[in-house]
C-alpha cells in the first residue's frame, strides 16, 4: 500500500468513528491529539469502528479531526 493509499484509508476510518464519539471522548482526544488514546475512548472507537484503534492517532487522523473543529465561513 502506498503512503497516499494509507493516508486515505486512515482518513476514511476516522471519518467513520469521529462523528459518533461522545463529547467526553472528543474532548479527551482534543486535549492531546499527539498523545496516546485513552482506554475509554479506544473502547468507544472500537465499538463504532469494529476494530481497535492504534495506540496513537496518525497524522492523517489528527489533520482530519482538526478540520472538524474549525469554524466554517
Amino acid at each position: 500500500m502506498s503512503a497516499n493509499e494509507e493516508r486515505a484509508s486512515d482518513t476514511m476510518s476516522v471519518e467513520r468513528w469521529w462523528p459518533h464519539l461522545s463529547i467526553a471522548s472528543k474532548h479527551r482526544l482534543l486535549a492531546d491529539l499527539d498523545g496516546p488514546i485513552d482506554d475509554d475512548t479506544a473502547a468507544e472507537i472500537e465499538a463504532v469502528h469494529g476494530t481497535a484503534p492504534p495506540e496513537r492517532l496518525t497524522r492523517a487522523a489528527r489533520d482530519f479531526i482538526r478540520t472538524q473543529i474549525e469554524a466554517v465561513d
Side-chain angles (χ1 to χ4, degrees):
M1 181 181 291
S2 74
N4 286 339
E5 289 172 324
E6 188 174 320
R7 280 192 296 277
S9 174
D10 179 61
T11 301
M12 287 174 42
S13 66
V14 71
E15 288 172 357
R16 216 174 129 199
W17 55 259
W18 176 257
H20 303 287
L21 286 185
S22 67
I23 296 299
S25 286
K26 287 180 178 181
H27 285 183
R28 286 190 297 270
L29 282 174
L30 290 168
D32 186 8
L33 284 175
D34 294 319
I37 299 173
D38 67 278
D39 292 341
D40 291 337
T41 302
E44 227 179 291
I45 293 169
E46 185 169 0
V48 171
H49 191 266
T51 57
E55 183 179 322
R56 294 175 188 272
L57 295 171
T58 64
R59 180 177 179 185
R62 292 189 309 266
D63 290 346
F64 173 82
I65 290 169
R66 285 185 186 105
T67 67
Q68 299 306 295
I69 59 171
E70 291 177 355
V72 177
D73 293 337

